[in-house]
Amino acid sequence: MRRKARREAKINQRCAMLGGLDGVFTYNKLYKAGKDCCKGVRWKNSVQRFEMHLFSGTAVRRKAILHDGWRPGGYVHFTLAERGKIRQIDAPRVQDRQIHKAYTRYVLLPLYRPSMIWNNGARLPGKGLEFSRRELMDDLRSHYRRYGRNGSLILLDFKQFFPSVSHEMIYKRHDHLIRDDGLRKVGDDIVRSTPGERGLPLGVEPSQAEMIAFPSALDNFIKCQLSIHGAGHYMDDYYILLPPGIDAKNVLRLVINKAEDLCLTVSTAKTKIVSLTKPFKFCKVKYTLTENGKVITHGNRDGMKRARRKIKAFKAKIENGEMTYEELWSAVNGIFAYFKRYDDHNRVLKLRRLFYRLFGFSPEKIESFRARNFA
């Protein structure tokens, strides 16, 4: 009871520090959020109009929020092919994205982050996909120092992570963590803008924050109740390192039962138990724990096929005048940078040989590209 009382006091303290609607949606915070919404998309006509009237539009939207007159608008639905996977995206209007960004930055993340584990690194400041990969490598090395390559690894994935989440579960979490009525109503309205009683849109920033923190109860169950420290995840991709002597099937059963309590469905096709003596894939990167404890990583092999096709396409664009050598420098070195992050030296050499065969010069120095521009 004392621990529960301390937790409640901390939640009340965090909510008091937000300052209510007036403290979260100040003009300066909203204006800065609006500016951030324009980064990288200023080529859009709607964003140009939004930024042109940002000074006055921010005041109008702030007044609507403070007087309970703001309601989320509709979404623009489109299909996106990202890294070989088809995704259904629902994007909000840029006016709503200004409110979403401020609400996520100053309400959701400050209240959700204290309950999140360190190894949860998706879309958080200072973290990301590369952070999750580094943490997995650190956990593998730590496991090797204690147990060698003995033990097992559980790779777990959820089915329809965003489309299947229960709105009722999110409302309950809002009631527990957001004590200000006005801020809680804004969060509920954003969730309620998605039709039905399940699912959140993939292209909405508050939805991303909701789903990052949604499995926190499962994360703390794995770390605290099961005392498994070598565990982490990136969105819905989980890894759980188990020492020798622990029944992996029993642990997986307990994790699945806990996930079902959160109304999350584990994908049986993508969930498996692997031995640490064999290579495995996590977030499209292949990991191998060698006998001497070294962790060897290889990038996605499909990326090699795409890289070869791109370099050949660049050759045709250069010949037709559709691409400059400065643009070629940026594009080619971006491809090389992906493979240089991993132990893919041979793949980099093959791509360099292909580049030299097509263009007749080495891609290492930018001076070689600039010389062709003035040739």
Side-chain angles (χ1 to χ4, degrees), residues 134-191:
R134 289 198 306 267
E135 288 297 309
L136 173 55
M137 294 177 67
D138 291 342
D139 287 338
L140 287 171
R141 296 189 189 103
S142 177
H143 182 93
Y144 180 85
R145 287 193 293 268
R146 290 188 176 189
Y147 312 106
R149 293 201 296 174
N150 299 321
S152 56
L153 177 73
I154 298 176
L155 297 175
L156 184 141
D157 200 346
F158 293 118
K159 183 186 298 183
Q160 296 290 305
F161 188 51
F162 274 78
S164 65
V165 64
S166 171
H167 290 183
E168 188 63 30
M169 300 290 289
I170 296 178
Y171 295 149
K172 288 181 180 179
R173 188 168 56 174
H174 286 178
D175 293 338
H176 177 62
L177 293 178
I178 306 176
R179 303 297 169 86
D180 184 85
D181 294 337
L183 293 177
R184 185 170 60 251
K185 184 179 183 303
V186 173
D188 291 346
D189 288 342
I190 295 174
V191 176

Side-chain angles (χ1 to χ4, degrees), residues 87-271:
R87 301 180 187 274
Q88 304 298 327
I89 307 296
D90 293 291
R93 300 179 307 163
V94 65
Q95 292 85 354
D96 290 338
R97 285 206 295 132
Q98 181 184 18
I99 309 299
H100 292 172
K101 187 173 287 292
Y103 189 78
T104 302
R105 184 178 293 175
Y106 302 112
V107 178
L108 294 183
L109 290 182
L111 296 182
Y112 286 170
R113 290 192 70 173
S115 62
M116 296 163 63
I117 62 173
W118 168 256
N119 299 75
N120 182 1
R123 296 183 60 83
L124 292 175
K127 298 183 180 182
L129 183 58
E130 193 62 29
F131 167 84
S132 297
R133 291 169 177 168
R134 289 198 306 267
E135 288 297 309
L136 173 55
M137 294 177 67
D138 291 342
D139 287 338
L140 287 171
R141 296 189 189 103
S142 177
H143 182 93
Y144 180 85
R145 287 193 293 268
R146 290 188 176 189
Y147 312 106
R149 293 201 296 174
N150 299 321
S152 56
L153 177 73
I154 298 176
L155 297 175
L156 184 141
D157 200 346
F158 293 118
K159 183 186 298 183
Q160 296 290 305
F161 188 51
F162 274 78
S164 65
V165 64
S166 171
H167 290 183
E168 188 63 30
M169 300 290 289
I170 296 178
Y171 295 149
K172 288 181 180 179
R173 188 168 56 174
H174 286 178
D175 293 338
H176 177 62
L177 293 178
I178 306 176
R179 303 297 169 86
D180 184 85
D181 294 337
L183 293 177
R184 185 170 60 251
K185 184 179 183 303
V186 173
D188 291 346
D189 288 342
I190 295 174
V191 176
R192 201 174 290 115
S193 63
T194 306
E197 298 180 356
R198 284 186 172 275
L200 289 177
L202 193 58
V204 180
E205 191 167 353
S207 300
Q208 299 280 347
E210 295 283 2
M211 296 310 296
I212 290 169
F214 190 79
S216 293
L218 176 63
D219 300 341
N220 288 285
F221 174 77
I222 295 172
K223 291 276 190 176
C224 301
Q225 273 68 40
L226 300 183
S227 299
I228 300 173
H229 302 291
H233 69 100
Y234 181 84
M235 278 298 182
D236 59 334
D237 293 320
Y238 274 74
Y239 70 87
I240 304 173
L241 271 169
L242 299 177
I246 296 181
D247 187 3
K249 292 183 179 180
N250 183 48
V251 172
L252 181 58
R253 179 180 56 81
L254 294 174
V255 171
I256 291 176
N257 291 338
K258 183 64 177 179
E260 290 176 351
D261 293 340
L262 298 174
C263 300
L264 294 174
T265 304
V266 175
S267 174
T268 56
K270 298 181 181 179
T271 300

